[in-house]
Amino acid sequence: MKTETAMLDETRRRLQDWGVWVRSGGVNSGYAAVQLAAGVGGCTVPDDEALAVDQAVASLKKREPDLGKVVLAYYVRRWDYSMIGLEVKMSREKVRVLLRSAEAWVDGRLFQ
C-alpha cells in the first residue's frame, strides 16, 4: 500500500505533466480542448492521463476558484510562491497552504 506522501508525490508528478500538456496546447486553462495535442511541442503526456487531471482541475476551479488559480499559476505558468502571492494578493505562506490543499483535493479526485 502506498503511503500518503508517495500518493501526493504521484499527484504532483501528474500535475507537472498536465502543466506541460496545457502549455503544449492540449487544453484551455482547466477545460479540455476538442483537439488534443499530445506529441505537439515535445509533449509526451498520454491524453487520458492529462484529461483525468484536467477534469479534476476544472472541478476544483468551479468549487474553489482560489485553489484553481494557484494550481494554474504554479503548474501551468510555472510561477513561484512569491509571484503567485503578488498576483492573488496573499502571502507566500498562504499560497503554499492553498497549493498543498489543491494538490490534496486533486489527489482525492484522481484516486477515489
Side-chain angles (χ1 to χ4, degrees), residues 54-69:
D54 190 62
Q55 290 171 346
V57 172
S59 294
L60 175 65
K61 285 174 57 179
K62 284 182 184 177
R63 188 169 191 113
E64 298 289 340
D66 285 342
L67 296 182
K69 286 178 190 175

Side-chain angles (χ1 to χ4, degrees), residues 38-59:
V40 174
C43 180
T44 59
V45 179
D47 283 336
D48 59 339
E49 203 174 289
L51 283 170
V53 175
D54 190 62
Q55 290 171 346
V57 172
S59 294

Side-chain angles (χ1 to χ4, degrees), residues 18 29-30 57 61 68-78:
W18 169 77
S29 298
V57 172
K61 285 174 57 179
K69 286 178 190 175
V70 169
V71 166
L72 286 170
Y74 190 80
Y75 286 105
V76 176
R77 294 184 184 111
R78 297 189 284 184

Side-chain angles (χ1 to χ4, degrees), residues 2 8 31 36 43 45-46 53 68 73 96 99 101 105-107 110:
K2 286 187 176 182
L8 278 175
Y31 298 101
L36 301 179
C43 180
V45 179
V53 175
R96 187 189 67 75
L99 182 61
S101 296
W105 198 93
V106 170
D107 184 79
L110 293 177

